[in-house]
Amino acid sequence: MMHGHFITFEGGDGCGKSTQVGMLEQRLKLAGKTTVLTREPGGTQRAETIRSLLLDGKARDMGKFAETLLFSLAREDHIEKLIAPALAKGDWVICDRFIDSTRAYQGAGGGIDPDLINALERVVVGPYRPEITIILDVSPEEGMERARLRMKELGEEVPDRFESEEIAFHHRLREGFLDIARNEPGRCVVVDGMQPVGEIHQLIWEHVCQRVGA
Ligand code: TYD
């Protein structure tokens, strides 16, 4: 059923994921692999529509439970239309955020019952669990500062729905990601996001090669 490889990137806002996702994709391409680069929430038309509702804060008034369901709804479409077919073809799928963002942002950060999150994963994700998950770790203070600088560069005026949460939320988030890594050491690796970009990439590349023999 799955002949490809499924790699996800996780971490708090401003952890440097987007840069690393792009660098890993380029490296895999140079090695002759067929890659699919995607992100959550998003990746398909329907999921991108749901993304806008979630990130511009329109869904916020419906509450955290509804937001959790919306992330899952977007994920279901993304898996069915993009991730599953690509893996069946033997592609390398690299996804910027996936299930661990729901566990950390809605669960550890937002207080949604982990039993509900597990049940949603069972129904929505089923066998499509990532083979490797890279968690980029930076302190919440550093992450928020980087997110602020990025906003300035892009000329954006308002932070998105989750960037605007208070610092305590971002601390719970970081602990949430580190807990996931402790509980699933076979799938997850934590990489210190404070190192130079090239060194982070090299560590990620070595880890991927070691895990799948690329
Ligand atoms: P995005 O702009 O992609 O943020 P980043 O560049 O930090 O990845 O926005 C995604 C936001 O959605 C981010 O703040 C994390 C949040 N999110 C959740 O809360 N739950 C989820 O399941 C996912 C996939 C993302």
Side-chain angles (χ1 to χ4, degrees):
M1 178 182 61
M2 280 190 260
H3 306 292
H5 297 280
F6 188 16
I7 303 175
T8 59
F9 278 75
E10 300 279 2
D13 296 271
C15 68
K17 272 184 301 89
S18 313
T19 307
Q20 293 300 331
V21 163
M23 288 174 89
L24 178 63
E25 194 207 15
Q26 285 310 313
R27 190 84 174 244
L28 284 167
K29 278 193 167 148
L30 281 174
K33 312 293 178 194
T34 306
T35 56
V36 174
L37 184 58
T38 187
R39 66 167 181 188
E40 287 210 343
T44 62
Q45 210 177 1
R46 183 177 298 167
E48 291 289 336
T49 306
I50 299 171
R51 177 188 176 90
S52 323
L53 286 175
L54 283 161
L55 295 196
D56 62 19
K58 283 203 200 86
R60 188 181 206 148
D61 290 345
M62 294 182 215
K64 290 175 184 163
F65 177 62
E67 284 183 322
T68 306
L69 296 182
L70 285 170
F71 278 112
S72 296
L73 211 57
R75 183 162 301 134
E76 185 194 34
D77 196 61
H78 190 206
I79 293 172
E80 186 196 322
K81 300 213 179 84
L82 194 117
I83 296 174
L87 290 174
K89 277 199 304 180
D91 294 347
W92 287 68
V93 177
I94 307 169
C95 191
D96 188 340
R97 300 196 179 281
F98 196 61
I99 45 173
D100 303 306
S101 282
T102 307
R103 294 188 196 174
Y105 280 78
Q106 282 64 53
I112 289 288
D113 184 345
D115 286 343
L116 171 70
I117 294 177
N118 289 338
L120 285 169
E121 273 183 27
R122 188 164 43 76
V123 174
V124 171
V125 178
Y128 294 99
R129 282 173 194 276
E131 184 180 349
I132 302 174
T133 297
I134 314 284
I135 297 176
L136 283 176
D137 183 51
V138 297
S139 72
E141 289 79 9
E142 171 72 18
M144 296 315 286
E145 178 60 15
R146 289 187 192 176
R148 199 185 57 78
L149 289 174
R150 186 180 55 190
M151 265 179 61
K152 218 168 130 188
E153 269 171 36
L154 297 175
E156 289 171 4
E157 286 179 3
V158 255
D160 75 29
R161 158 75 180 88
F162 296 96
E163 281 164 2
S164 61
E165 286 278 356
E166 85 278 25
I167 196 81
F169 173 88
H170 292 278
H171 279 282
R172 292 199 297 278
L173 203 61
R174 183 189 203 183
E175 284 315 309
F177 281 125
L178 296 177
D179 272 345
I180 294 169
R182 272 190 289 270
N183 292 332
E184 292 184 63
R187 170 172 72 88
C188 303
V189 61
V190 178
V191 177
D192 176 1
M194 292 301 283
Q195 304 172 88
V197 168
E199 279 173 36
I200 297 177
H201 169 65
Q202 194 54 30
L203 284 171
I204 292 172
W205 179 246
E206 280 162 19
H207 182 77
V208 170
C209 291
Q210 196 190 334
R211 283 290 314 280
V212 298

mmCIF file of all heavy atoms in Angstrom, residues 91-135:
data_model
loop_
_atom_site.group_PDB
_atom_site.id
_atom_site.type_symbol
_atom_site.label_atom_id
_atom_site.label_comp_id
_atom_site.label_asym_id
_atom_site.label_seq_id
_atom_site.Cartn_x
_atom_site.Cartn_y
_atom_site.Cartn_z
ATOM 1 N N ASP A 91 6.615 8.009 -3.921
ATOM 2 C CA ASP A 91 7.239 9.328 -3.741
ATOM 3 C C ASP A 91 7.699 9.539 -2.288
ATOM 4 O O ASP A 91 7.251 8.853 -1.371
ATOM 5 C CB ASP A 91 6.227 10.443 -4.069
ATOM 6 C CG ASP A 91 5.851 10.439 -5.538
ATOM 7 O OD1 ASP A 91 6.521 9.762 -6.340
ATOM 8 O OD2 ASP A 91 4.852 11.120 -5.870
ATOM 9 N N TRP A 92 8.548 10.550 -2.145
ATOM 10 C CA TRP A 92 8.943 11.012 -0.814
ATOM 11 C C TRP A 92 8.039 12.194 -0.466
ATOM 12 O O TRP A 92 8.128 13.238 -1.121
ATOM 13 C CB TRP A 92 10.391 11.489 -0.815
ATOM 14 C CG TRP A 92 11.391 10.387 -0.910
ATOM 15 C CD1 TRP A 92 11.621 9.575 -1.994
ATOM 16 C CD2 TRP A 92 12.305 9.961 0.111
ATOM 17 N NE1 TRP A 92 12.617 8.681 -1.711
ATOM 18 C CE2 TRP A 92 13.066 8.903 -0.425
ATOM 19 C CE3 TRP A 92 12.568 10.383 1.418
ATOM 20 C CZ2 TRP A 92 14.051 8.250 0.302
ATOM 21 C CZ3 TRP A 92 13.548 9.731 2.142
ATOM 22 C CH2 TRP A 92 14.282 8.672 1.593
ATOM 23 N N VAL A 93 7.188 12.033 0.512
ATOM 24 C CA VAL A 93 6.283 13.114 0.917
ATOM 25 C C VAL A 93 6.882 13.826 2.130
ATOM 26 O O VAL A 93 7.195 13.192 3.138
ATOM 27 C CB VAL A 93 4.874 12.572 1.255
ATOM 28 C CG1 VAL A 93 3.971 13.693 1.753
ATOM 29 C CG2 VAL A 93 4.262 11.881 0.039
ATOM 30 N N ILE A 94 7.087 15.149 1.975
ATOM 31 C CA ILE A 94 7.589 15.954 3.094
ATOM 32 C C ILE A 94 6.485 16.922 3.472
ATOM 33 O O ILE A 94 6.035 17.725 2.647
ATOM 34 C CB ILE A 94 8.842 16.759 2.685
ATOM 35 C CG1 ILE A 94 9.892 15.820 2.083
ATOM 36 C CG2 ILE A 94 9.415 17.503 3.883
ATOM 37 C CD1 ILE A 94 11.030 16.582 1.429
ATOM 38 N N CYS A 95 6.041 16.850 4.709
ATOM 39 C CA CYS A 95 4.909 17.678 5.127
ATOM 40 C C CYS A 95 5.314 18.610 6.270
ATOM 41 O O CYS A 95 5.850 18.177 7.287
ATOM 42 C CB CYS A 95 3.747 16.774 5.530
ATOM 43 S SG CYS A 95 2.213 17.676 5.755
ATOM 44 N N ASP A 96 5.068 19.913 6.057
ATOM 45 C CA ASP A 96 5.326 20.948 7.048
ATOM 46 C C ASP A 96 4.128 20.951 8.009
ATOM 47 O O ASP A 96 3.067 21.452 7.643
ATOM 48 C CB ASP A 96 5.473 22.288 6.298
ATOM 49 C CG ASP A 96 5.939 23.430 7.179
ATOM 50 O OD1 ASP A 96 5.798 23.330 8.404
ATOM 51 O OD2 ASP A 96 6.428 24.430 6.615
ATOM 52 N N ARG A 97 4.292 20.337 9.155
ATOM 53 C CA ARG A 97 3.284 20.100 10.202
ATOM 54 C C ARG A 97 2.344 18.949 9.827
ATOM 55 O O ARG A 97 1.951 18.789 8.686
ATOM 56 C CB ARG A 97 2.419 21.334 10.500
ATOM 57 C CG ARG A 97 3.203 22.538 10.982
ATOM 58 C CD ARG A 97 2.256 23.557 11.623
ATOM 59 N NE ARG A 97 2.985 24.703 12.117
ATOM 60 C CZ ARG A 97 3.669 24.713 13.263
ATOM 61 N NH1 ARG A 97 3.684 23.645 14.025
ATOM 62 N NH2 ARG A 97 4.318 25.778 13.643
ATOM 63 N N PHE A 98 1.960 18.198 10.882
ATOM 64 C CA PHE A 98 0.995 17.098 10.701
ATOM 65 C C PHE A 98 0.382 16.798 12.070
ATOM 66 O O PHE A 98 0.152 17.743 12.840
ATOM 67 C CB PHE A 98 1.721 15.885 10.069
ATOM 68 C CG PHE A 98 0.821 14.839 9.474
ATOM 69 C CD1 PHE A 98 -0.040 15.135 8.427
ATOM 70 C CD2 PHE A 98 0.830 13.525 9.968
ATOM 71 C CE1 PHE A 98 -0.870 14.162 7.880
ATOM 72 C CE2 PHE A 98 0.006 12.552 9.426
ATOM 73 C CZ PHE A 98 -0.839 12.864 8.385
ATOM 74 N N ILE A 99 0.149 15.516 12.380
ATOM 75 C CA ILE A 99 -0.593 15.185 13.619
ATOM 76 C C ILE A 99 -0.021 15.783 14.901
ATOM 77 O O ILE A 99 -0.770 16.106 15.815
ATOM 78 C CB ILE A 99 -0.705 13.647 13.843
ATOM 79 C CG1 ILE A 99 0.623 12.943 13.588
ATOM 80 C CG2 ILE A 99 -1.828 13.066 13.029
ATOM 81 C CD1 ILE A 99 0.616 11.466 13.958
ATOM 82 N N ASP A 100 1.299 15.904 14.964
ATOM 83 C CA ASP A 100 1.884 16.383 16.226
ATOM 84 C C ASP A 100 1.540 17.839 16.494
ATOM 85 O O ASP A 100 1.544 18.272 17.649
ATOM 86 C CB ASP A 100 3.404 16.171 16.210
ATOM 87 C CG ASP A 100 3.719 14.700 15.981
ATOM 88 O OD1 ASP A 100 3.205 13.868 16.747
ATOM 89 O OD2 ASP A 100 4.415 14.388 15.002
ATOM 90 N N SER A 101 1.234 18.607 15.442
ATOM 91 C CA SER A 101 0.792 19.985 15.669
ATOM 92 C C SER A 101 -0.565 19.991 16.357
ATOM 93 O O SER A 101 -0.822 20.834 17.217
ATOM 94 C CB SER A 101 0.717 20.768 14.348
ATOM 95 O OG SER A 101 2.005 21.161 13.943
ATOM 96 N N THR A 102 -1.442 19.049 16.000
ATOM 97 C CA THR A 102 -2.738 18.978 16.684
ATOM 98 C C THR A 102 -2.533 18.572 18.142
ATOM 99 O O THR A 102 -3.114 19.150 19.059
ATOM 100 C CB THR A 102 -3.680 17.980 15.979
ATOM 101 O OG1 THR A 102 -3.764 18.321 14.608
ATOM 102 C CG2 THR A 102 -5.077 18.013 16.579
ATOM 103 N N ARG A 103 -1.660 17.568 18.345
ATOM 104 C CA ARG A 103 -1.393 17.137 19.727
ATOM 105 C C ARG A 103 -0.831 18.288 20.557
ATOM 106 O O ARG A 103 -1.189 18.460 21.717
ATOM 107 C CB ARG A 103 -0.373 15.999 19.729
ATOM 108 C CG ARG A 103 -0.879 14.721 19.097
ATOM 109 C CD ARG A 103 0.158 13.641 19.341
ATOM 110 N NE ARG A 103 -0.021 12.473 18.495
ATOM 111 C CZ ARG A 103 0.837 11.453 18.463
ATOM 112 N NH1 ARG A 103 1.908 11.479 19.222
ATOM 113 N NH2 ARG A 103 0.612 10.422 17.659
ATOM 114 N N ALA A 104 0.092 19.074 19.955
ATOM 115 C CA ALA A 104 0.751 20.130 20.727
ATOM 116 C C ALA A 104 -0.118 21.387 20.838
ATOM 117 O O ALA A 104 -0.348 21.885 21.936
ATOM 118 C CB ALA A 104 2.102 20.468 20.103
ATOM 119 N N TYR A 105 -0.613 21.906 19.694
ATOM 120 C CA TYR A 105 -1.361 23.182 19.732
ATOM 121 C C TYR A 105 -2.743 23.018 20.374
ATOM 122 O O TYR A 105 -3.128 23.792 21.237
ATOM 123 C CB TYR A 105 -1.529 23.772 18.326
ATOM 124 C CG TYR A 105 -0.313 24.491 17.809
ATOM 125 C CD1 TYR A 105 0.781 23.787 17.313
ATOM 126 C CD2 TYR A 105 -0.244 25.880 17.802
ATOM 127 C CE1 TYR A 105 1.902 24.436 16.820
ATOM 128 C CE2 TYR A 105 0.873 26.551 17.311
ATOM 129 C CZ TYR A 105 1.940 25.829 16.826
ATOM 130 O OH TYR A 105 3.046 26.480 16.339
ATOM 131 N N GLN A 106 -3.514 22.009 19.907
ATOM 132 C CA GLN A 106 -4.867 21.858 20.455
ATOM 133 C C GLN A 106 -4.820 21.090 21.777
ATOM 134 O O GLN A 106 -5.576 21.391 22.691
ATOM 135 C CB GLN A 106 -5.780 21.138 19.447
ATOM 136 C CG GLN A 106 -6.296 22.021 18.308
ATOM 137 C CD GLN A 106 -5.209 22.540 17.391
ATOM 138 O OE1 GLN A 106 -4.410 21.764 16.861
ATOM 139 N NE2 GLN A 106 -5.158 23.844 17.201
ATOM 140 N N GLY A 107 -3.923 20.089 21.874
ATOM 141 C CA GLY A 107 -3.840 19.263 23.075
ATOM 142 C C GLY A 107 -3.073 19.960 24.192
ATOM 143 O O GLY A 107 -3.672 20.536 25.096
ATOM 144 N N ALA A 108 -1.734 19.904 24.109
ATOM 145 C CA ALA A 108 -0.911 20.463 25.188
ATOM 146 C C ALA A 108 -1.160 21.961 25.378
ATOM 147 O O ALA A 108 -1.257 22.454 26.500
ATOM 148 C CB ALA A 108 0.567 20.209 24.890
ATOM 149 N N GLY A 109 -1.267 22.693 24.273
ATOM 150 C CA GLY A 109 -1.442 24.147 24.357
ATOM 151 C C GLY A 109 -2.873 24.526 24.680
ATOM 152 O O GLY A 109 -3.129 25.378 25.525
ATOM 153 N N GLY A 110 -3.826 23.889 24.000
ATOM 154 C CA GLY A 110 -5.222 24.325 24.079
ATOM 155 C C GLY A 110 -6.075 23.565 25.067
ATOM 156 O O GLY A 110 -7.222 23.940 25.304
ATOM 157 N N GLY A 111 -5.545 22.468 25.621
ATOM 158 C CA GLY A 111 -6.291 21.730 26.638
ATOM 159 C C GLY A 111 -7.353 20.777 26.114
ATOM 160 O O GLY A 111 -8.198 20.298 26.880
ATOM 161 N N ILE A 112 -7.340 20.471 24.823
ATOM 162 C CA ILE A 112 -8.286 19.475 24.297
ATOM 163 C C ILE A 112 -7.866 18.077 24.785
ATOM 164 O O ILE A 112 -6.685 17.735 24.790
ATOM 165 C CB ILE A 112 -8.323 19.542 22.739
ATOM 166 C CG1 ILE A 112 -9.009 20.830 22.271
ATOM 167 C CG2 ILE A 112 -8.981 18.315 22.134
ATOM 168 C CD1 ILE A 112 -10.507 20.893 22.480
ATOM 169 N N ASP A 113 -8.862 17.296 25.207
ATOM 170 C CA ASP A 113 -8.641 15.964 25.771
ATOM 171 C C ASP A 113 -7.831 15.074 24.811
ATOM 172 O O ASP A 113 -8.237 14.857 23.667
ATOM 173 C CB ASP A 113 -10.036 15.348 26.016
ATOM 174 C CG ASP A 113 -9.964 14.002 26.702
ATOM 175 O OD1 ASP A 113 -8.868 13.394 26.744
ATOM 176 O OD2 ASP A 113 -11.025 13.565 27.206
ATOM 177 N N PRO A 114 -6.684 14.547 25.284
ATOM 178 C CA PRO A 114 -5.864 13.691 24.424
ATOM 179 C C PRO A 114 -6.623 12.462 23.899
ATOM 180 O O PRO A 114 -6.325 11.970 22.800
ATOM 181 C CB PRO A 114 -4.707 13.237 25.321
ATOM 182 C CG PRO A 114 -4.803 14.008 26.562
ATOM 183 C CD PRO A 114 -6.084 14.766 26.605
ATOM 184 N N ASP A 115 -7.615 11.975 24.650
ATOM 185 C CA ASP A 115 -8.398 10.823 24.163
ATOM 186 C C ASP A 115 -9.141 11.174 22.879
ATOM 187 O O ASP A 115 -9.270 10.355 21.982
ATOM 188 C CB ASP A 115 -9.421 10.364 25.212
ATOM 189 C CG ASP A 115 -8.739 9.638 26.354
ATOM 190 O OD1 ASP A 115 -7.572 9.227 26.168
ATOM 191 O OD2 ASP A 115 -9.358 9.510 27.426
ATOM 192 N N LEU A 116 -9.632 12.415 22.823
ATOM 193 C CA LEU A 116 -10.332 12.851 21.609
ATOM 194 C C LEU A 116 -9.339 12.940 20.455
ATOM 195 O O LEU A 116 -9.621 12.499 19.339
ATOM 196 C CB LEU A 116 -10.998 14.219 21.834
ATOM 197 C CG LEU A 116 -11.551 14.840 20.542
ATOM 198 C CD1 LEU A 116 -12.770 14.080 20.034
ATOM 199 C CD2 LEU A 116 -11.869 16.306 20.704
ATOM 200 N N ILE A 117 -8.169 13.498 20.738
ATOM 201 C CA ILE A 117 -7.158 13.650 19.683
ATOM 202 C C ILE A 117 -6.708 12.276 19.181
ATOM 203 O O ILE A 117 -6.587 12.051 17.974
ATOM 204 C CB ILE A 117 -5.984 14.519 20.189
ATOM 205 C CG1 ILE A 117 -6.509 15.946 20.428
ATOM 206 C CG2 ILE A 117 -4.820 14.517 19.194
ATOM 207 C CD1 ILE A 117 -5.520 16.916 20.999
ATOM 208 N N ASN A 118 -6.525 11.327 20.101
ATOM 209 C CA ASN A 118 -6.152 9.968 19.691
ATOM 210 C C ASN A 118 -7.228 9.340 18.826
ATOM 211 O O ASN A 118 -6.925 8.664 17.836
ATOM 212 C CB ASN A 118 -5.935 9.062 20.919
ATOM 213 C CG ASN A 118 -4.671 9.446 21.651
ATOM 214 O OD1 ASN A 118 -3.782 10.067 21.080
ATOM 215 N ND2 ASN A 118 -4.592 9.088 22.923
ATOM 216 N N ALA A 119 -8.481 9.550 19.222
ATOM 217 C CA ALA A 119 -9.585 8.960 18.456
ATOM 218 C C ALA A 119 -9.626 9.552 17.051
ATOM 219 O O ALA A 119 -9.802 8.824 16.060
ATOM 220 C CB ALA A 119 -10.912 9.201 19.183
ATOM 221 N N LEU A 120 -9.425 10.862 16.954
ATOM 222 C CA LEU A 120 -9.419 11.505 15.629
ATOM 223 C C LEU A 120 -8.272 10.966 14.782
ATOM 224 O O LEU A 120 -8.437 10.704 13.590
ATOM 225 C CB LEU A 120 -9.313 13.027 15.772
ATOM 226 C CG LEU A 120 -10.582 13.733 16.228
ATOM 227 C CD1 LEU A 120 -10.281 15.193 16.600
ATOM 228 C CD2 LEU A 120 -11.666 13.684 15.150
ATOM 229 N N GLU A 121 -7.121 10.779 15.399
ATOM 230 C CA GLU A 121 -5.974 10.231 14.651
ATOM 231 C C GLU A 121 -6.283 8.836 14.127
ATOM 232 O O GLU A 121 -5.953 8.494 12.993
ATOM 233 C CB GLU A 121 -4.743 10.131 15.562
ATOM 234 C CG GLU A 121 -3.933 11.392 15.590
ATOM 235 C CD GLU A 121 -2.669 11.250 16.438
ATOM 236 O OE1 GLU A 121 -2.138 10.132 16.585
ATOM 237 O OE2 GLU A 121 -2.222 12.274 16.970
ATOM 238 N N ARG A 122 -6.908 8.042 14.974
ATOM 239 C CA ARG A 122 -7.213 6.661 14.573
ATOM 240 C C ARG A 122 -8.133 6.659 13.354
ATOM 241 O O ARG A 122 -7.902 5.943 12.383
ATOM 242 C CB ARG A 122 -7.855 5.917 15.753
ATOM 243 C CG ARG A 122 -8.051 4.439 15.528
ATOM 244 C CD ARG A 122 -8.308 3.711 16.852
ATOM 245 N NE ARG A 122 -9.243 4.408 17.745
ATOM 246 C CZ ARG A 122 -10.554 4.424 17.574
ATOM 247 N NH1 ARG A 122 -11.110 3.781 16.564
ATOM 248 N NH2 ARG A 122 -11.331 5.088 18.422
ATOM 249 N N VAL A 123 -9.150 7.522 13.395
ATOM 250 C CA VAL A 123 -10.134 7.541 12.315
ATOM 251 C C VAL A 123 -9.592 8.240 11.068
ATOM 252 O O VAL A 123 -9.758 7.760 9.949
ATOM 253 C CB VAL A 123 -11.427 8.251 12.798
ATOM 254 C CG1 VAL A 123 -12.412 8.432 11.664
ATOM 255 C CG2 VAL A 123 -12.059 7.474 13.943
ATOM 256 N N VAL A 124 -8.936 9.368 11.253
ATOM 257 C CA VAL A 124 -8.549 10.209 10.110
ATOM 258 C C VAL A 124 -7.209 9.779 9.505
ATOM 259 O O VAL A 124 -7.053 9.731 8.293
ATOM 260 C CB VAL A 124 -8.476 11.699 10.554
ATOM 261 C CG1 VAL A 124 -7.863 12.568 9.480
ATOM 262 C CG2 VAL A 124 -9.865 12.204 10.924
ATOM 263 N N VAL A 125 -6.253 9.449 10.357
ATOM 264 C CA VAL A 125 -4.894 9.169 9.866
ATOM 265 C C VAL A 125 -4.703 7.682 9.582
ATOM 266 O O VAL A 125 -4.044 7.307 8.605
ATOM 267 C CB VAL A 125 -3.839 9.672 10.895
ATOM 268 C CG1 VAL A 125 -2.429 9.356 10.427
ATOM 269 C CG2 VAL A 125 -4.014 11.166 11.126
ATOM 270 N N GLY A 126 -5.291 6.835 10.423
ATOM 271 C CA GLY A 126 -5.166 5.385 10.237
ATOM 272 C C GLY A 126 -3.712 4.983 10.040
ATOM 273 O O GLY A 126 -2.860 5.296 10.874
ATOM 274 N N PRO A 127 -3.391 4.309 8.934
ATOM 275 C CA PRO A 127 -2.020 3.830 8.741
ATOM 276 C C PRO A 127 -1.055 4.910 8.248
ATOM 277 O O PRO A 127 0.140 4.650 8.155
ATOM 278 C CB PRO A 127 -2.179 2.750 7.671
ATOM 279 C CG PRO A 127 -3.378 3.173 6.886
ATOM 280 C CD PRO A 127 -4.294 3.876 7.851
ATOM 281 N N TYR A 128 -1.554 6.099 7.927
ATOM 282 C CA TYR A 128 -0.680 7.117 7.310
ATOM 283 C C TYR A 128 0.089 7.917 8.354
ATOM 284 O O TYR A 128 0.054 9.133 8.387
ATOM 285 C CB TYR A 128 -1.487 8.024 6.368
ATOM 286 C CG TYR A 128 -1.984 7.234 5.196
ATOM 287 C CD1 TYR A 128 -3.279 6.744 5.156
ATOM 288 C CD2 TYR A 128 -1.119 6.904 4.155
ATOM 289 C CE1 TYR A 128 -3.715 5.953 4.103
ATOM 290 C CE2 TYR A 128 -1.537 6.112 3.107
ATOM 291 C CZ TYR A 128 -2.840 5.644 3.088
ATOM 292 O OH TYR A 128 -3.249 4.847 2.047
ATOM 293 N N ARG A 129 0.775 7.180 9.204
ATOM 294 C CA ARG A 129 1.609 7.838 10.211
ATOM 295 C C ARG A 129 2.972 8.129 9.611
ATOM 296 O O ARG A 129 3.471 7.336 8.819
ATOM 297 C CB ARG A 129 1.765 6.924 11.430
ATOM 298 C CG ARG A 129 0.520 7.001 12.240
ATOM 299 C CD ARG A 129 0.450 6.053 13.378
ATOM 300 N NE ARG A 129 -0.946 6.063 13.791
ATOM 301 C CZ ARG A 129 -1.467 6.965 14.607
ATOM 302 N NH1 ARG A 129 -0.709 7.881 15.141
ATOM 303 N NH2 ARG A 129 -2.749 6.940 14.908
ATOM 304 N N PRO A 130 3.564 9.258 9.983
ATOM 305 C CA PRO A 130 4.880 9.567 9.416
ATOM 306 C C PRO A 130 5.912 8.514 9.813
ATOM 307 O O PRO A 130 5.838 7.931 10.899
ATOM 308 C CB PRO A 130 5.233 10.912 10.037
ATOM 309 C CG PRO A 130 3.969 11.454 10.604
ATOM 310 C CD PRO A 130 3.093 10.301 10.901
ATOM 311 N N GLU A 131 6.843 8.294 8.909
ATOM 312 C CA GLU A 131 7.933 7.356 9.184
ATOM 313 C C GLU A 131 8.996 8.077 10.044
ATOM 314 O O GLU A 131 9.578 7.494 10.949
ATOM 315 C CB GLU A 131 8.505 6.976 7.817
ATOM 316 C CG GLU A 131 9.573 5.954 7.772
ATOM 317 C CD GLU A 131 10.005 5.719 6.322
ATOM 318 O OE1 GLU A 131 9.330 6.189 5.367
ATOM 319 O OE2 GLU A 131 11.033 5.056 6.144
ATOM 320 N N ILE A 132 9.224 9.354 9.702
ATOM 321 C CA ILE A 132 10.196 10.161 10.440
ATOM 322 C C ILE A 132 9.565 11.521 10.741
ATOM 323 O O ILE A 132 8.973 12.137 9.855
ATOM 324 C CB ILE A 132 11.467 10.425 9.587
ATOM 325 C CG1 ILE A 132 12.115 9.112 9.144
ATOM 326 C CG2 ILE A 132 12.464 11.314 10.336
ATOM 327 C CD1 ILE A 132 13.287 9.304 8.191
ATOM 328 N N THR A 133 9.732 11.977 11.973
ATOM 329 C CA THR A 133 9.272 13.328 12.333
ATOM 330 C C THR A 133 10.447 14.108 12.925
ATOM 331 O O THR A 133 11.065 13.661 13.883
ATOM 332 C CB THR A 133 8.097 13.256 13.334
ATOM 333 O OG1 THR A 133 6.999 12.599 12.694
ATOM 334 C CG2 THR A 133 7.661 14.636 13.785
ATOM 335 N N ILE A 134 10.736 15.246 12.293
ATOM 336 C CA ILE A 134 11.803 16.116 12.771
ATOM 337 C C ILE A 134 11.148 17.226 13.597
ATOM 338 O O ILE A 134 10.304 17.968 13.087
ATOM 339 C CB ILE A 134 12.545 16.801 11.585
ATOM 340 C CG1 ILE A 134 12.887 15.815 10.463
ATOM 341 C CG2 ILE A 134 13.739 17.620 12.076
ATOM 342 C CD1 ILE A 134 14.028 14.893 10.715
ATOM 343 N N ILE A 135 11.525 17.328 14.863
ATOM 344 C CA ILE A 135 10.987 18.393 15.716
ATOM 345 C C ILE A 135 12.085 19.431 15.914
ATOM 346 O O ILE A 135 13.134 19.132 16.482
ATOM 347 C CB ILE A 135 10.512 17.823 17.065
ATOM 348 C CG1 ILE A 135 9.361 16.826 16.822
ATOM 349 C CG2 ILE A 135 10.071 18.958 18.006
ATOM 350 C CD1 ILE A 135 8.869 16.115 18.064
#
